Amino acid sequence: MIELVATTGSTNADLAARLAARLAVPEGQWLIADRQSAGKGRQGRVWSDGAGNFMGSTVVHRQAADPMPATLALVAGLAVHAAASPLVPAPLRAMLKWPNDILIGPAKLCGILLEAVGAAVIVGIGVNLAQAPQVPGRETIALSAFGPAPDRDLFAAALAGHFDRELERWRSFGLEPLLRRWLAAAHPIGTPLAVGEPGDEPLHGTFAGLAADGALQLRLADGTTRTIHAGEVRLATL
């Protein structure tokens, strides 16, 4: 089910308020806005609300046998990758960067923010369909760079379907097949990366795959491997 609103502060905040009020927010329901005035990303960054872009949120209600909730970031990334990939012309391709960024070349196509509310996880997704925000120090891109901007509502329906399928696989088969498919959609092993929050000295290394729990494996210059459970990851040049 897809619920459309013309404008709101934040679709994540709206769903959080419904959950806090004990209103029913079933899995598979999406709240999608034409415009947002208070969208946000990691570290509280403002998220651009460009007209024609996809901005929406959904809820996952955690079950006892589910994999770790942090791995829903990988689920969301795979769903967006599946929805966006057919819209990227060869020889270019959409690539995943840990845990859930979608890149086309070095440029970022989307933002995904997970927020826990009690036993639920709100998954907020923004995808640059029509226009890419200007972000200092970052390259961004919109799918309109390759032709007419994709229809937002058609994209929303495709994304909702992919998310439902990825969520079902996550619950039914666990992390191992999910990680294999994530790696197949990601930038290559050996890609130079820098890990660290803005303002911190980054840790440099190369992509060495994923740990069994979905954490990033970073190969350092001395040949050791560091397991990264959190942090901002960027493509880098060693």
Side-chain angles (χ1 to χ4, degrees):
M1 172 185 165
I2 292 177
E3 177 185 352
L4 301 175
V5 295
T7 185
T8 189
S10 160
T11 55
N12 266 32
D14 289 349
L15 292 188
R18 294 182 190 184
L19 291 170
R22 301 186 181 277
L23 300 177
V25 185
E27 288 189 355
Q29 178 175 333
W30 286 79
L31 178 63
I32 297 172
D34 295 337
R35 304 298 297 264
Q36 288 190 134
S37 60
K40 61 183 179 179
R42 281 192 80 249
Q43 303 294 322
R45 296 186 184 99
V46 174
W47 179 255
S48 172
D49 77 330
N53 289 345
F54 174 88
M55 293 161 284
S57 303
T58 191
V59 169
V60 176
H61 294 284
R62 293 166 52 193
Q63 301 176 11
D66 284 348
M68 292 173 294
T71 58
L72 284 168
L74 306 179
V75 171
L78 272 171
V80 177
H81 182 270
S85 286
L87 305 173
V88 180
L92 297 174
R93 74 180 185 99
M95 296 186 301
L96 283 164
K97 175 174 69 66
W98 190 87
N100 53 25
D101 278 346
I102 309 296
L103 303 179
I104 300 175
K108 183 173 177 175
L109 177 68
C110 81
I112 299 174
L113 179 66
L114 274 61
E115 297 183 285
V117 178
V121 177
I122 299 173
V123 181
I125 298 175
V127 184
N128 302 330
L129 302 180
Q131 51 186 299
Q134 299 297 312
V135 180
R138 295 289 187 87
E139 292 188 56
T140 59
I141 195 168
L143 290 172
S144 59
F146 312 116
D151 180 87
R152 195 278 310 274
D153 292 348
L154 292 178
F155 183 87
L159 176 58
H162 286 299
F163 190 88
D164 285 348
R165 286 187 287 275
E166 294 297 345
L167 186 65
E168 178 60 29
R169 290 167 175 165
W170 177 76
R171 283 205 166 112
S172 298
F173 305 114
L175 290 184
E176 186 177 350
L178 174 83
L179 299 183
R180 287 200 304 267
R181 290 186 301 107
W182 194 98
L183 286 168
H187 51 67
I189 297 292
T191 298
L193 300 175
V195 181
E197 300 297 347
D200 294 341
E201 183 67 25
L203 181 66
H204 287 269
T206 58
F207 180 52
L210 300 177
D213 63 355
L216 172 70
Q217 299 282 70
L218 188 71
R219 183 68 47 80
L220 305 182
D222 63 5
T224 61
T225 299
R226 183 76 61 88
T227 300
I228 307 294
H229 292 281
E232 187 163 308
V233 178
R234 299 192 186 197
L235 300 184
T237 301
L238 294 180

